[in-house]
Amino acid sequence: MTVRVSIDLTRCRGHGMCALLAPETIDLDGWGFARVGTAEVDEPGDARRLRRAAAACPRQAIVVREVPGESTGTTPSVRAPWSAWRAR
Amino acid sequence: MNGAAGHEPISRPTPNHSAMPPRNFHRHEARHDGPRAGHVAMPGAPGALLLAGPPAGAGAESLDAHLARLGPAGLHLAPEAILAAIEAAGLTGRGGGAFPSAAKLATARAAVTPPLVVVNASESEPASGKDRLLCQLRPHLVLDGLALIVWAAGAAEAIVHVHRGSDGTIAALRAAADERRQRGVADPRWHITVGPDSYVSGEASAVASMLAGGPPVPFPHRRPLATEGPGGGRPVLVYNVETVAHVAMITRVGPELWAGLGSPSTPGTRLVTVVGAVAEPGRVFEVSGPASVADVLSTAGVPGAPGAVLIGGYAGTWVDGQTALQLPLDAAGLRTVGASLGSGVIGVLPLGACVLAETARLLEFLTAGSAGQCGPCVQGLPILTASAAGLARGRTSRRSQRQMLRLLEDLPGRGACHLPDGAAHLLSSALRASGADADRHRAGIPCPPGPAGGWLAVPRVPARSSR
Ligand code: SF4
Ligand code: SF4
């Protein structure tokens, strides 16, 4: 069964609990706010840890929903269009 | 391409406003500037243009003139037929999101609770003038559209949402409503609500949040607003003013004729507001047929190639002048450069103007307009703004550039609304469109100074007064 995760960034205050509990799915950005790597999780263990992280989040900022039906498990990432420009 | 005859604007500007300088305007003044409009029209099908009819200087089209020009609205149609017509026409939202209008309507019809219909006239995009212009010049088209959506959605009432200081719009809509009442037009119940004029408060979920008694800031919704409103309450069906005006037109002329006025990827006509280094900044044009950016620029009085063009709004996409002249002004054409029509704003910079300096000013405005709810947005936008300002002045460190590039990749998608995405995209596209400018600035060669306050006017943002 697949679950889809999103972070409500109006709630997240960067406590970082989630990244400790579900490191496969969530990491923290440079400021410590939660960042979702893979929005859809198939692996039962990952999904279990994700639910634990959602429960542990002091701000209740992690939203986990079940996805009905099949899924690919990943969502395509969007690339920023500055590729023509390089840092020098 | 358009015939030469199609380039005639329908009206001259009202003379008392044409002396207004393109820069340093306050939002307040700008929004009370009289409506000005023109066409970039395909010859042959003028009847179905939103802005056909009396010229802009003539003020609001009366109910009689409106009915004589277009006939009655399609309220004899069954709700299903209205939905089917909108779907067949391929209408998409004109407020910026370009979401398929029929899909939204179908979702609302499927919901258990009848939705609240909101016609969003808050036009929080500062450079845009099309929604205000429609309300003030073609109020009956807007109210017809409102009635059609209410009827098609099975709703009981509607709201027209404006921002603070829209006295002209409110007066025009009230006068039109009186006219309709006297003539016995059976309109649904609707009233006007007034919200703040900050940048994100016009976003659909922010409007919905405010109408539900919450703060006028975007809220994270995991389901469409049309199925579940703020706090799980009544669904809210939010449509932009231009979108509902098109609905009124579609039910009259039929989806095929209407869609034929556009191009395959952008059916129907589209309203654009052209600002910056043009003859009359803020003038609205109705674009029909397979028009290109070049057509719009030549109609707007841009001689030759511009330096750069900002497409879609203040959180839009910069395109360098040469590239812009080759672009068709429709979804498919703009997509090739990563742009979209957004709310229809086209900002023009002359040759030699500094894209980076303009971007820094726009970013400063966007940053100040952030609702301040989401960590990455609150932290990231000021950094992007400072980076752009640094590039424009030729003062950046390698470290801050690395930080900026990392942010440009990280920030999109990291907020409850699309402001962080838009800000990152604006700067990314500016880096491309400005070519070697950043290098030249670092080597101590600045761009020639532009007008004080820049080419693209940015309203003063009251410091967080909207919260
Ligand atoms: S635990 Fe909650 S508040 Fe903390 S970083 Fe994760 S999502 Fe944000
Ligand atoms: S992303 Fe920014 S502007 Fe949008 S809701 Fe969050 S803090 Fe507000």
Side-chain angles (χ1 to χ4, degrees), chain A residues 7 11-18 28 32-34 57-59 61-62:
Chain A
I7 308 288
R11 301 187 73 100
C12 172
R13 286 293 173 272
H15 295 288
M17 204 72 86
C18 49
L28 304 177
F33 297 111
C57 170
R59 299 279 306 174
I62 303 173

Side-chain angles (χ1 to χ4, degrees), chain B residues 200 218 370-374 377-378 415-417 419-420:
Chain B
V200 294
S370 153
Q373 309 189 87
C374 311
C377 179
V378 172
C417 73
L419 188 71

Side-chain angles (χ1 to χ4, degrees), chain B residues 33 75 80 124 229 234 236 409 420 426:
Chain B
D33 194 4
L75 279 167
E80 296 76 28
S124 47
R234 172 147 75 141
V236 187
E409 204 159 10
L426 178 75

Side-chain angles (χ1 to χ4, degrees), chain B residues 155-233:
Chain B
E157 57 174 337
I159 278 173
V160 179
H161 188 73
V162 301
H163 66 79
R164 224 179 272 134
S166 320
D167 303 349
T169 299
I170 294 175
L173 290 173
R174 292 232 164 100
D178 285 343
E179 228 181 330
R180 294 165 81 91
R181 207 172 304 119
Q182 277 161 21
R183 298 291 304 277
V185 177
D187 275 337
R189 237 177 333 125
W190 63 272
H191 64 275
I192 294 174
T193 56
V194 182
D197 59 358
S198 71
Y199 189 73
V200 294
S201 63
E203 197 259 352
S205 78
V207 172
S209 165
M210 195 198 124
L211 294 177
V217 293
F219 71 93
H221 46 289
R222 279 148 227 124
R223 289 195 232 169
L225 284 171
T227 49
E228 188 183 86

